[in-house]
Amino acid sequence: MVATKHTIVVQVANRPGVLNRVASLFRRRGFNIESIAVGGSEALGISRMTIIVDGTSPMVEQVRKQLDKVIDVIKVSDISGENIISRELALIKVRTTSATRGEIIQIVGTFRAKIVDVSSDSVAVEVTGDEAKVDSLYNLLRPFGVREISRTGVVAMTRGTADDGRGEE
Amino acid sequence: MKITGGQIVCESLLKEGTEVIFGILGGQILPLYDTLTQYPQLKHILMGHEQGAAHAAEGYARATGKVGVCLATSGPGATNLVTGIADAYMDSTPMVAITGQVGRPFIGKDAFQEIDITGVTLPITKHNYIVTDINLLAQTIKEAFYLARTGRPGPVLIDLPRDLQVESTEFNYPSKVELTGYKPNINGHPAQLKKAAKLITEAKKPILLPGQGVLISGACRELKELAETAQLPVVSTMLGISAFPATHALYFGWLGMHGMAYANLAVQDADLIVAVGMRFDDRATSRVNAFAPKAHVIHIDIDPAEIGKNVRVDVPIVGDARAVLAALNKLMIPLEHGEWLAQLSEWQREHPSLAIREAGEVLPQYVIRQIWEATGGEATVVTGVGQHQMFAAQHFFYDKPGSFISSGGLGTMGFELPAALGAKVGRPDELVWCVAGDGSFQMTIQELSTVARDSIGIKVAIMNNGVLGMVHQWQSLFYGQRYMATTLSCPDFVKLAEAYGIPAANITCKGDVRPAIERAIATPGPFILNFVISPDENVYPMVPPGAALHEVIEAPKKEVPAWSRRNTP
Ligand SMILES: Cc1ncc(C[n+]2csc(CCOP(=O)(O)OP(=O)(O)O)c2C)c(N)n1
């Protein structure tokens, strides 16, 4: 069975230690987290995690069920097969010289990314998009010398009126 | 009226119906203990070790179906509970463990006896809490008990900072809990039930496979009805022992590493497995990709995560065993499986896994069988972990639900004495036999002081083979008889018992076995029997590690002359 990337949305009660409970579960069951992003949600006291895991479908189904058992977890949905919007934000600091600056600005422009800081020998670029877009911008900037990159990890939701509250049997 | 944190704990325990607490005190739980002086209705049993307190709470819980409660101080008291908590987690035993914690201002400062016990027990509890706001205390206890006993039961730990125990607030015990993320599914999905009924009706070689979930949910009657209506032969898991009467004509033993050969053969040849409240543990399935190769699988369990975890399932039914079986029974029509049952009986004759050979020496199998005969099966048997555990599981025929209590998932040596003690506290009018290994027994032997002090009338049968028998057996069969670190040095158990003021006897020949058992039963209060047995008596049948379930090693031929029929006394 082939491993593929799955996007799992987890809504959790915002109680102390909840991130630890979720992370501990992944470690203990031997599941690998590719990325995890945590933040507030539309409901008070509920945080939303977007977790990207790489695994076979039965394995990811196990992840989903095990997550559902964590008492502070309110809802788990694997939205991978859905029509989803997924976005990641990255800050990339690139070395510049007077010779390369123009070209960098041009690349940043085509990606609809932004330059958010400029110094004599570097610029900081802010880019938002799906993982692939962030990856390709990063790859294009690499030859100039990337000093630092900081990525948020992917956040995701389904398109249209559906909410992510299904996923339960 | 405002009351203290300690009083809130006691009042809440009373609301939850707690009658007994097993524990050991210490600095950070002292205020709560001080409050206990005002609550004589809460019987406290002082244990010799916190591990014992946790196992006693487990034994009590499994004997009564109620939530077992144990209490310990912070730091070493809390960490000593860990093995018992893990044991309860693995065997889905309802337990609430309450630990003292350093005062809130000291938390995170590595204060004296400060341990992050909620961190430590995170992966071995169903849920845990550290209470930092007195106004959340009552609600937390309410939730803890609710979580411990509902759904798939398990241990819940509450860590109580010392200063919180003396702080005061109004006491309002909530009437219900609100846990948005926790809603165990009780009733099976109707469409799935129909599919299951259809598969059962079509099956030629069905096996009904109950686990401990049936006991936990109190579904034994419903299970029996299903088996009898559909004429389904029953093979249980080891922890499922006693979920179905062992002397029933439809019972064909338990499966797994030391299960009956015919039970294993039955499962391997079955065309349908109806698994109820069990989790396809590797000791039960043996090599999992060779497990029941011809069978469709119906899996009924309250924990959705168990379904499809180890074995591919055709009809998953998430729900409480009792509710699901009751609903399934409504869909069942009477069936016949005469040919299949005849086949199973033939295998049972061909593979007399429970035959006890004639021997002059004291055989552990014989001792267990004699306990069964002497008690007429009217006893609760609590075991340690090792060969004696397997003999106790094999050679006593458990008819009464919950009459077999053993550490299954964690396999914790030292379980027997404190768990038996807890079971006896829960079932004061019943005979409780503690079947102990000489190694296992010594791991929690300090609880003899608890047994003696409170005159807890358990009958202990030590299977004294002078070795860590089960490991010795592996060294014998799989490690070229290179015996490393399996020889024990045992004290004179009779003298030791006497030192505690507990009557005891040595049994060294077969003729003394039955009279000794009867004497122990006739003597009020605790009694210890030290059965001296051979270090080389192996447990058979055995499925070697890595083998398929039907690849059973049976007792060497010389050991099987006198086949005594399984169900005849
Ligand atoms: C706490 C713990 N430590 C180690 C083991 C590994 N182990 C399993 S059975 C066994 C030997 C048990 O010996 P004994 O209690 O004398 O019982 P016997 O097998 O001889 O009946 C050991 C060491 C275990 N299950 N639990």
Side-chain angles (χ1 to χ4, degrees), chain B residues 385-389 410-414 416 436-441 443 463 465 467-471 488:
Chain B
V385 168
Q387 294 175 315
H388 62 283
Q389 174 186 32
L410 196 64
T412 311
M413 286 171 70
E416 65 267 58
D438 46 351
S440 190
F441 188 57
M443 286 204 179
M463 299 294 169
N465 56 5
V467 288
L468 293 167
M470 186 56 94
V471 186
L488 285 169

Side-chain angles (χ1 to χ4, degrees), chain B residues 430-441:
Chain B
E430 281 186 31
L431 198 48
V432 174
W433 275 89
C434 168
V435 175
D438 46 351
S440 190
F441 188 57

Side-chain angles (χ1 to χ4, degrees), chain A residues 13 15 17 20-22 24-25 27-29 46 58 62 65-66 68-75 168-169, chain B residues 89 119 122-123 125-129 143 147 152 178-182 303-309 318:
Chain A
R15 298 216 186 93
N20 193 9
R21 287 180 202 280
V22 169
S24 156
L25 187 143
R27 177 191 53 76
R28 168 165 121 66
R29 300 267 171 196
I46 294 178
Q62 240 322 277
K65 286 173 168 178
Q66 294 293 350
D68 222 10
K69 274 172 74 170
V70 175
I71 306 296
D72 287 338
V73 167
I74 293 163
K75 249 178 210 173
E168 272 154 320
E169 275 166 332
Chain B
Y89 184 71
L122 188 122
T125 47
K126 185 168 172 184
H127 196 52
N128 63 23
Y129 300 87
E143 281 180 18
L147 288 171
R152 177 179 181 172
E178 271 167 52
L179 288 161
T180 26
Y182 179 76
D303 181 356
E306 285 305 339
I307 289 169
K309 187 181 77 178
V318 177

